[in-house]
Amino acid sequence: MSNRESNTVYSRIAGTGGYLPERILTNQELEAMVDTSDEWITSRTGIQQRHIAADNEFTLDLAEHASRQAISNAGLQTSDIDLIVVATTTPDQVFPSTACLLQSRLDIHGCPAFDVQAVCTGFVYAFSVADKFIRTGTSRCALVVGAETFSRIIDWTDRNTCVLFGDGAGAVVIQAHDAPGVYSTHLHADGDYASLLHVPSGVSNNLAAVQEGRAYVEMSGTEVFKMAVNTLGRIVDETLEANQMTRDDVDWLVPHQANLRIINAIAKKLNLPMEKVILTVAQQGNTSAASIPLALHEGITNGNIQRGETVMIEGFGGGFTWGSALLRY
Ligand code: ACO
């Protein structure tokens, strides 16, 4: 029996939205802040600029802009949303969750709303969870958001990290549908690698780390780079095999935008020319959980990704966490 003939429920993207703060920080400006150069940043990462939230602008504000646009682009009302999942590492408050605060902003009441924390893989995790809520019939119309003000957990005197990250939010509305939609999602983590990419302070153990001045992102860049390339290479195979597809079946790659060289390696693995890869890293830098939905939104709004085409999304981040999804737009 084909998927179409079965009663299986799938989730399908109904609309996307994105928001970037107005303030742009260029590589040239960073040259005046730390010992770096536009040439080093561009050649090692592909990043030319990033957006930085204003002092009075928070993750929730970014999430609200992106969400309203995604709901409107889906041709829906806020009252149609029956699940909210927000991926963020930079929530406005310890609690309530950013998802609950967003629910109130959108004047939605009663539906489940919660945050997911998987750093740069956060959106893939949130998307996978929401997809499962829809597949099991628990939800019919989910708002999935990746939103970050990563600039708030960056040490702006540390050239190893401050050149890489930016702020932003992306949102996707997924709805129940009788055909894919989302073919499969794949999530992984290995906490043994926690110390290679982390913020050592938190809530429970905050005091000592903050007193030591360790309240910001610390990264062993080269180790993270190697692991990201190897791990993402493997997950590409896993995702294709799970759907009995080959590299030729993939029309678009929408990767997490950490580093152009990592993205190049994955595109090569998929045998995809770079014209078939949605790239925002040059203009936005690494916006952590926001980068994949922002790239998806860009690929759809600029007319590249068309209905019926097959899209692979993938990400890698702190934890380590990594994940992918294969879907028909
Ligand atoms: N400007 C100039 N020099 C710099 C800068 C800078 N901004 N940053 C580091 N360097 C120096 C280092 O001090 C080091 O110098 P040394 O050799 O004298 O010690 C040297 O550059 C390192 O150079 P490379 O080995 O060429 O660095 P590499 O090619 O590994 O690139 C980078 C570094 C860009 C950080 C890369 O490793 C990377 O992108 N890593 C992965 C980041 C990532 O994917 N993170 C995952 C997601 S993030 C998340 O989950 C929060």
Side-chain angles (χ1 to χ4, degrees):
M1 192 163 54
S2 77
N3 288 335
R4 273 201 173 280
E5 287 156 349
S6 73
N7 289 325
T8 313
V9 177
Y10 297 92
S11 57
R12 179 173 178 262
I13 293 177
T16 59
Y19 178 78
L20 293 161
E22 211 176 300
R23 161 97 169 95
I24 289 172
L25 179 67
T26 63
N27 289 353
Q28 286 74 19
E29 287 174 274
L30 279 166
E31 285 177 353
M33 293 163 62
V34 288
D35 181 15
T36 191
S37 65
D38 174 43
E39 196 283 325
W40 191 96
I41 303 170
T42 310
S43 64
R44 299 302 212 289
T45 71
I47 300 167
Q48 291 164 15
Q49 61 171 51
R50 67 289 291 146
H51 292 249
I52 304 292
D55 289 346
N56 61 352
E57 201 173 27
F58 304 107
T59 296
L60 175 61
D61 302 311
L62 277 49
E64 181 186 358
H65 284 294
S67 299
R68 289 194 184 282
Q69 193 180 34
I71 294 166
S72 163
N73 284 343
L76 297 169
Q77 311 292 321
T78 52
S79 55
D80 294 312
I81 301 296
D82 63 6
L83 171 69
I84 301 173
V85 189
V86 175
T88 187
T89 301
T90 48
D92 285 21
Q93 301 176 205
V94 172
F95 70 85
S97 67
T98 307
C100 284
L101 299 174
L102 178 63
Q103 186 187 39
S104 170
R105 280 274 181 97
L106 297 176
D107 201 20
I108 300 170
H109 305 276
C111 76
F114 55 90
D115 287 0
V116 165
Q117 215 282 50
V119 205
C120 297
T121 320
F123 179 79
V124 185
Y125 269 65
F127 189 77
S128 176
V129 169
D131 174 56
K132 285 169 174 51
F133 268 70
I134 287 183
R135 278 179 189 244
T136 56
T138 312
S139 304
R140 300 283 302 171
C141 186
L143 173 64
V144 190
V145 184
E148 301 277 18
T149 45
F150 233 69
S151 61
R152 305 269 153 79
I153 54 168
I154 295 299
D155 174 357
W156 289 98
T157 65
D158 176 13
R159 70 175 185 175
N160 290 304
T161 52
C162 76
V163 302
L164 303 174
F165 296 96
D167 300 334
V172 175
V173 173
I174 55 174
Q175 267 188 309
H177 200 66
D178 59 5
V182 178
Y183 293 116
S184 67
T185 62
H186 305 264
L187 302 181
H188 296 279
D190 190 339
D192 272 2
Y193 295 94
S195 63
L196 291 181
L197 175 56
H198 67 154
V199 176
S201 65
V203 179
S204 189
N205 75 349
N206 202 28
L207 203 55
V210 170
Q211 278 170 351
E212 288 164 19
R214 301 180 69 210
Y216 302 107
V217 173
E218 296 177 4
M219 182 173 73
S220 307
T222 309
E223 282 88 342
V224 175
F225 185 95
K226 284 183 204 148
M227 274 293 287
V229 171
N230 289 335
T231 314
L232 291 172
R234 284 204 303 276
I235 211 170
V236 162
D237 289 336
E238 176 188 333
T239 310
L240 292 175
E241 277 165 26
N243 294 285
Q244 292 163 341
M245 289 193 191
T246 68
R247 301 185 298 184
D248 295 341
D249 295 313
V250 179
D251 296 306
W252 292 99
L253 176 65
V254 181
H256 170 50
Q257 312 277 323
N259 183 314
L260 185 58
R261 290 185 296 148
I262 298 177
I263 297 173
N264 276 330
I266 307 309
K268 205 168 161 195
K269 169 97 192 168
L270 272 168
N271 207 20
L272 270 184
M274 288 309 279
E275 304 82 69
K276 289 291 184 180
V277 181
I278 306 296
L279 291 174
T280 57
V281 67
Q283 307 306 316
Q284 299 174 13
N286 180 349
T287 57
S288 186
S291 95
I292 292 174
L294 273 166
L296 196 56
H297 177 61
E298 178 152 324
I300 289 170
T301 46
N302 69 13
N304 278 329
I305 301 175
Q306 297 284 329
R307 281 282 176 207
E309 290 188 311
T310 300
V311 179
M312 185 181 290
I313 69 176
E314 49 81 357
F316 181 92
F320 288 146
T321 54
W322 60 103
S324 66
L326 192 70
L327 58 97
R328 174 193 277 246
Y329 174 56

